[in-house]
Amino acid sequence: MVPDNDFDAVIIGAGFNGLYQLYRLRQEGYRVRLIDAEAGPGGVWQSNCYPGARVDSHVPNYEFSIEAVWRDWVWTERFPARDELIRYFEHIDKVLDLSRDIDFNTRLEAASFDSASNKWSLSANGGSATYSSQYMILATGFGSKPYIPDLPGIELFGNDCHHTARWPKQGMPLDNKRVGVIGTGASGVQVIQHAAQVADQVVVFQRTPVTAIPMSQQSLSKAAQDTAKADYPEMFRRRNAPPGSFADIERLNISALDVSELERNRVYDQAWDKGGFHFWVGTFKDVLTNEEANRTAYVYWRDRVRAIIDDPKSAELLAPTEPPYPFGTKRPSLEQGYYQCFNQQNVDLIDIRADPITLISPNKVATANASFDLDILVLATGFDANTGGLVAIDIQGRDGLSLADAWSGGVSTQLGMAIAGFPNMLILYGPQSSASFCNGPVCAEIQGEWLVDLLAHMTTNAYATVESTPTADQAWTAHLDDVANSSLFGQTDSWYMGANIPHKPRQLLNYPNSDAYLDRLQRCAANGYDGFVFT
Ligand code: FAD
């Protein structure tokens, strides 16, 4: 008899990637268990419950293409807020009947591979939950480890200081409070916009300006969605095939430098007016690869933004005359009135490069030149993205090789999905995949189907293990290095490059070309899983 805790596959993470995998592998007849540290499904949306949290990818791009899920689901907004996303995940759970195979409130702490049995042993919650399985599928997300910089006295501020991804689940309203926000990335922009409407005072501590672009939020009616659903199957087919990721955003196959200024601005105007990520990924082919082309996008963005801001000093801080980094090489956030906030009396902008935070004390943040009494301090300081959540688990592969040691000099994987020395361990939405440049649910379906096919290949051939080779890992890593050097990404200190974390090896951690990525996956499978060894 098979013990209750022995499975064909254990999946870690109940976000888009883990849930899709559970649904598909179960459909294929595997014995599967999913575990997640959170209390319910939704992954990153469980923990990122800060005020103003919402997704930047518009629906129906940001949802599963499974008809049983979309048929009866109705969104209220084009860019849904966090609570609506959680309701959507509950709907997925109900329609696909997933929870019966999920252990929530279960954090994986350690996993080791046993070469004698060719199985993984997993230990969670201090050893009170254990599992063994042929495959370990890590769908732990790119942002499961929040990053808090070493700010002097941060531990002294008091109870009302929280990272955006560790916001109190019961909520903590900002209404009529004095709120400080450290960080102006995607989460910072969302908190600041919200706080500016409801708080008495908002103090924004900015290190690097974000290049936020208009969201163009819209309310969505049921009638309009019912009509649109007739085209969903074709739309999802387009979305999941090259160029992929968005069914309705495509980069033009022309250079920004091969058209007149008038024509260029017409393209930029159109992308700007459409909102969402159009201005980032839906204009000219060389905006992210050619410095001169990139500058045209930056200058357009700068001038549009500066036209909104009344105070010239704030305008220079928020949208500098010279680009602080090539446009689009840090993830642009989507904004709804972000720049207008800085025209309000209740919002202060502090440039912490010029005027650094010197001391945090109870309900107070002091910089070199000023001091602010605050009720709430929001740490919108991002994540140890891509790798942090993975190396936080004590993973030991063949012969006790630890993942943390294997990656101590830098990440190396094959296609972001497998690592030499770690048999039968597959990663979804992981480092060196197209994660962050490919919508969460789209990537979940593309990588998910590839993984389902790989496991079918294993079963058909009665293989016990699949493992990447060091040569294949090195080749993929070298390819990403080439991409960093031949595009503008390598020039920017971003979390894509691991540069937001002190001492993290600097390398491109996400593959920015989702259609080339899909092509690589398909070619690898078509060539009999080139670069993998099977036993
Ligand atoms: P996640 O949704 O991150 O889920 C991972 C799960 O793994 C979590 O529930 C976590 O609890 C669990 N986990 C991690 N470690 C362990 C462990 N050791 N033991 C047990 N469980 C563990 N993507 C987009 O495409 N578009 C967007 O606009 C967008 N906006 C975002 C906004 C925010 C604020 C954040 C943080 C992310 C955003 N993302 C966006 C990226 C987002 O990660 C993906 O869209 C998607 O959620 C990825 O799903 P996932 O299943 O890979 O991981």
Side-chain angles (χ1 to χ4, degrees), residues 12-19 35-38 40 42-48 50 53-58 62 89 106-109 139-144 165 186-187 190 277 331 383 389 392-393 428-429 436 438-441 444:
I12 300 93
F16 274 117
N17 282 278
L19 294 178
I35 64 174
D36 195 297
E38 292 287 340
V44 86
W45 299 108
Q46 282 287 341
S47 47
N48 285 266
Y50 58 86
R54 69 175 64 246
V55 69
D56 280 348
S57 296
H58 57 287
Y62 200 72
F89 278 100
T106 304
R107 177 172 291 282
L108 178 68
E109 284 141 354
T140 48
F142 91 99
S144 50
S187 301
Q190 294 182 344
F277 284 137
R331 181 183 179 281
F383 301 91
I393 307 166
L428 294 167
Y429 215 66
S436 311
C438 180
N439 284 318

Side-chain angles (χ1 to χ4, degrees), residues 453-471:
D453 288 346
L454 173 69
L455 267 51
H457 181 74
M458 298 273 300
T459 308
T460 307
N461 293 288
Y463 291 137
T465 64
V466 54
E467 187 176 343
S468 178
T469 65
T471 313

Side-chain angles (χ1 to χ4, degrees), residues 377-397:
L377 185 59
V378 183
L379 305 174
T381 46
F383 301 91
D384 182 355
N386 288 294
T387 55
L390 289 169
V391 295
I393 307 166
D394 177 13
I395 298 178
Q396 298 191 5

